[in-house]
Amino acid sequence: MKNIETKWLEDFLILEETRNFSQAAENRNLSQSAFSRRIIALEEAVGVKLFNRVSSPLQLTEEGKLFHSQARNLLQQLQYNLDELQGQNIQNKPNITFAAAHSLSLSIMPKLISDIGQSHHQFIYSVEAIDVDQTVKTLVEGKSDFIFSFYDDLLSQEPFLSKEILESKLYPVSALNQNKEAIFNFSQNDIPLLNYTKQSYMGRLVNRKLNLYVHLNFKTIFVSSMSELLKKMVLNKQGIAWLPEYSIKDELKQNKLTILNDNELTIPIKAYIYRISSRLNSYAEQFWDSLDKKRG
């Protein structure tokens, strides 16, 4: 290891967080010139440029994004080991960090963590539930050990690793009336559609499907990035929505919802756990290995 000082790594993480040299220098109680010299020294030590200084605000280079994950994991593991050596209480400190798509954080993730946690009581999780695209960003920028998300081309290649955790479907559904009949159906005019935001993962899938069935007369009346919110709107008899199979199992059994089409209008989806390929802290690595044992 090339004489890299831990304070340089801390400087690097602060600069990535603030995206501003003067603000980062102030946070580190340094002059801007001294802070800049330390960042340059770090870049010279690792042999690559970590920041694109032309962009505004400051942006990580592709090498910088990869190094961010490595630096964060290295400092995290070092601090954890030092706390153990000094006898400090580490029982309540998270040692594995996740970002998860909203719907997965509410449905799939709790059971998976519960199953693995039964044999690994030392795992302490920190979980942030956010939009799908934001989860991808946290992993690319090294802010999470793992993310629970849906298929992503970028994350299906180096420097990322993935394991499939879910194969499911999006079904168009409607609430039922007192006669157990669908309140809304595809033969109606101006079918009230409860849709996902256009930029969301599920929104892109649903809109792609709708473009193939332009003869269906939809009228979008509500938009959200969260499938659970759309489900509540459907249950309140506001319209039709495409909802993931795993989130509506109970409502289907209880005859609160019905699937309007389980064939050509069904949309297949897959979910994965993604990580960076460089080594994570020991607890995160144990969790990753546990996934194979659980599936085995």
Side-chain angles (χ1 to χ4, degrees), residues 102 131 195-197 200 202 223-230:
H102 285 290
D131 290 341
N195 204 358
Y196 299 91
T197 55
S200 69
M202 290 186 180
V223 175
S224 173
S225 62
M226 295 187 290
S227 61
E228 286 299 310
L229 179 54
L230 293 180

Side-chain angles (χ1 to χ4, degrees), residues 237-256:
K237 304 177 181 180
Q238 299 300 303
I240 288 172
W242 267 257
L243 297 176
E245 180 182 22
Y246 54 81
S247 75
I248 57 174
K249 287 182 177 179
D250 291 341
E251 288 78 9
L252 292 173
K253 289 179 182 178
Q254 297 164 6
N255 289 320
K256 293 181 178 180

Side-chain angles (χ1 to χ4, degrees), residues 14-252:
I14 288 294
L15 182 56
E16 189 283 329
E17 181 180 342
T18 61
R19 305 296 177 96
N20 181 280
F21 269 94
S22 61
Q23 181 62 56
E26 182 179 342
N27 290 357
R28 297 290 285 161
N29 294 317
L30 292 168
S31 67
Q32 185 170 336
S33 58
F35 181 84
S36 296
R37 286 195 297 271
R38 284 175 26 171
I39 294 296
I40 292 172
L42 176 62
E43 290 180 320
E44 290 176 347
V46 299
V48 295
K49 290 292 184 183
L50 300 173
F51 290 96
N52 179 356
R53 292 165 171 76
V54 177
S55 62
S56 180
L58 203 66
Q59 299 291 328
L60 289 170
T61 62
E62 291 304 311
E63 295 83 359
K65 292 175 182 177
L66 178 59
F67 186 71
H68 186 279
S69 176
Q70 296 168 335
R72 185 184 64 84
N73 290 329
L74 179 62
L75 288 176
Q76 182 186 62
Q77 186 66 55
L78 177 60
Q79 185 61 57
Y80 205 87
N81 291 342
L82 288 174
D83 289 345
E84 282 187 311
L85 287 172
Q86 295 167 7
Q88 296 185 24
N89 183 7
I90 58 173
Q91 293 183 354
N92 297 317
K93 291 184 179 180
N95 49 45
I96 305 177
T97 59
F98 292 98
H102 285 290
S103 62
L104 295 176
S105 69
L106 293 172
S107 53
I108 303 303
M109 189 174 182
K111 185 178 187 309
L112 180 64
I113 287 180
S114 175
D115 291 346
I116 291 177
Q118 290 177 10
S119 58
H120 292 82
H121 300 294
Q122 75 275 35
F123 292 167
I124 304 175
Y125 308 97
S126 171
V127 182
E128 183 179 11
I130 49 181
D131 290 341
V132 173
D133 291 343
Q134 289 178 294
T135 66
V136 174
K137 184 178 179 181
T138 67
L139 186 64
V140 170
E141 296 183 352
K143 295 178 180 178
S144 298
D145 295 318
F146 305 103
I147 65 169
F148 286 71
S149 192
F150 299 98
Y151 177 79
D152 187 279
D153 286 332
L154 172 65
L155 302 183
S156 299
Q157 54 192 317
E158 285 291 336
F160 304 102
L161 301 174
S162 64
K163 293 181 180 180
E164 183 180 323
I165 57 169
L166 172 73
E167 186 171 357
S168 188
K169 296 175 181 178
L170 290 177
Y171 287 116
V173 298
S174 168
L176 300 172
N177 59 25
Q178 293 180 343
N179 297 322
K180 304 302 179 183
E181 299 171 336
I183 294 176
F184 304 102
N185 59 68
F186 293 131
S187 65
Q188 296 172 305
N189 291 323
D190 292 331
I191 307 167
L193 177 64
L194 312 169
N195 204 358
Y196 299 91
T197 55
K198 291 182 179 180
Q199 65 271 24
S200 69
Y201 170 79
M202 290 186 180
R204 292 192 291 269
L205 293 180
V206 171
N207 288 324
R208 194 178 303 152
K209 178 66 70 172
L210 292 179
N211 287 336
L212 299 176
Y213 292 87
V214 292
H215 61 281
L216 295 177
N217 191 13
F218 284 105
K219 180 181 180 181
T220 301
I221 64 169
F222 186 81
V223 175
S224 173
S225 62
M226 295 187 290
S227 61
E228 286 299 310
L229 179 54
L230 293 180
K231 183 172 77 171
K232 289 185 182 299
M233 293 291 290
V234 174
L235 290 169
N236 285 333
K237 304 177 181 180
Q238 299 300 303
I240 288 172
W242 267 257
L243 297 176
E245 180 182 22
Y246 54 81
S247 75
I248 57 174
K249 287 182 177 179
D250 291 341
E251 288 78 9
L252 292 173

